[in-house]
Amino acid sequence: MPEEKNAAVVADAQLQKHTGEAAFFDVDNTLMKGASLFHVARKMYERKAFTLSQAAGFAWKQFKFVMRGETLQDVHAVRDSALTLAAGISVEDIKALGEEVYDEMIESRIWPGTKALAEQHLRVGRKVWLVTATPVEVATVISTRLGLTGALGTVGEVSDGMYTGKLVGDILHGPAKAVAVQLVAEREGLDLDHCWAYSDSANDIPLLTMVGHPVVINPDGKLRRHARDNNWPVYDYRAGRRAATLGLKAATVGGAIYGLWRGFSRFRGPRP
């Protein structure tokens, strides 16, 4: 049919128009509510991959993150804890765990507004990548389930199908995200001036500033101010975004710690 043929030609031309363009999405608090790695850790605890005391140490580091903000020292501390817990676990187990975590915990926490933005990029022919500090195996599950192009995540060293407790490179956080995206752009022939990046955290300002279209979603206070000063678009899908004030922030931390305790103790059960 002539009309169908013309429509197909127009659609193909539209897709060709956006060749060399892509969108890069952070995951935690940008694509989904909360931290994906927390849900991975909870599932690992359910499988008795580590003890409650180890979980408590990890929770304490997260507590400090919320109260004073992230520092490079804190990021490295969490990285080292996670690597210690991962040593000796098989890659296949982590992939299977990622599928379970997505179905049981992550899917229901995806922000509909962020998902709609990603789908709009796909509709017009742009590639869409996730960029996250979460293990790349888990990030890939999220990307695949959402029909995205791919995922960039933290890569653990593997020997004989088992994690060694070391990293390949460094944790994909802050400036490391910008480096990873630059490498993807070179490999894929992308023009970063015509690309988009989405994040909630001031730690991702290096990533946001390297693209022509930075967009802020559910921002922390520092990133909100930076976005305002630079006239960046801001989307906030949270109810009561003023919860970032000090008093409510402390209350939120208390709730988070209680939630961590409840989440881990729920699966504790009798231990040998």
Side-chain angles (χ1 to χ4, degrees), residues 127-139:
K127 295 182 177 182
V128 178
W129 296 81
L130 299 182
V131 188
T132 175
T134 293
V136 67
E137 292 82 4
V138 177

Side-chain angles (χ1 to χ4, degrees), residues 28 32 36 58 89 102 115-116 119 151 198 233 269 272:
D28 296 346
M32 63 171 283
S36 53
F58 189 81
I89 297 176
Y102 184 86
K115 182 181 177 184
E119 290 172 342
Y198 298 81

Side-chain angles (χ1 to χ4, degrees), residues 229-241:
D229 293 343
N230 290 274
N231 199 29
W232 290 354
V234 177
Y235 296 94
D236 202 324
Y237 302 124
R238 300 166 297 187
R241 70 185 189 187

Side-chain angles (χ1 to χ4, degrees), residues 174-236:
K177 289 186 179 181
V179 173
V181 167
Q182 180 66 52
L183 293 174
V184 169
E186 293 172 0
R187 186 184 71 215
E188 301 285 329
L190 302 176
D191 182 351
L192 289 174
D193 287 338
H194 292 88
C195 288
W196 277 253
Y198 298 81
S199 179
D200 70 296
S201 172
N203 292 307
D204 288 339
I205 287 176
L207 169 62
L208 293 166
T209 54
M210 74 185 298
V211 299
H213 304 282
V215 181
V216 172
I217 295 181
N218 305 327
D220 59 31
K222 183 177 179 181
L223 182 57
R224 184 181 294 278
R225 291 189 295 273
H226 190 89
R228 182 184 61 236
D229 293 343
N230 290 274
N231 199 29
W232 290 354
V234 177
Y235 296 94
D236 202 324

Side-chain angles (χ1 to χ4, degrees), residues 1-80:
M1 298 291 290
E3 291 183 359
E4 292 179 353
K5 183 177 181 179
N6 289 338
V9 170
V10 170
D12 184 64
Q14 183 73 2
L15 293 176
Q16 290 295 323
K17 179 182 177 182
H18 297 290
T19 299
E21 300 178 3
F24 298 92
F25 285 79
D26 173 49
V27 173
D28 296 346
N29 293 323
T30 302
L31 177 65
M32 63 171 283
K33 302 175 186 177
S36 53
L37 191 57
F38 165 75
H39 300 296
V40 172
R42 202 172 94 174
K43 178 61 70 172
M44 289 175 67
Y45 180 79
E46 179 183 353
R47 294 184 174 188
K48 296 180 172 57
F50 52 87
T51 66
L52 189 61
S53 61
Q54 288 173 314
F58 189 81
W60 172 244
K61 293 181 178 69
Q62 297 289 36
F63 170 83
K64 290 194 294 182
F65 273 16
V66 177
M67 287 303 294
R68 72 184 188 192
E70 294 180 350
T71 68
L72 190 59
Q73 182 179 358
D74 287 335
V75 171
H76 286 172
V78 170
R79 174 201 63 189
D80 294 341

Side-chain angles (χ1 to χ4, degrees), residues 136-199:
V136 67
E137 292 82 4
V138 177
T140 298
V141 169
I142 301 173
S143 172
T144 300
R145 292 297 191 91
L146 294 176
L148 308 182
T149 306
L152 308 175
T154 299
V155 179
E157 183 184 75
V158 176
S159 177
D160 296 326
M162 310 289 282
Y163 290 103
T164 65
K166 300 178 181 179
L167 287 182
V168 177
D170 205 350
I171 187 169
L172 202 64
H173 175 273
K177 289 186 179 181
V179 173
V181 167
Q182 180 66 52
L183 293 174
V184 169
E186 293 172 0
R187 186 184 71 215
E188 301 285 329
L190 302 176
D191 182 351
L192 289 174
D193 287 338
H194 292 88
C195 288
W196 277 253
Y198 298 81
S199 179

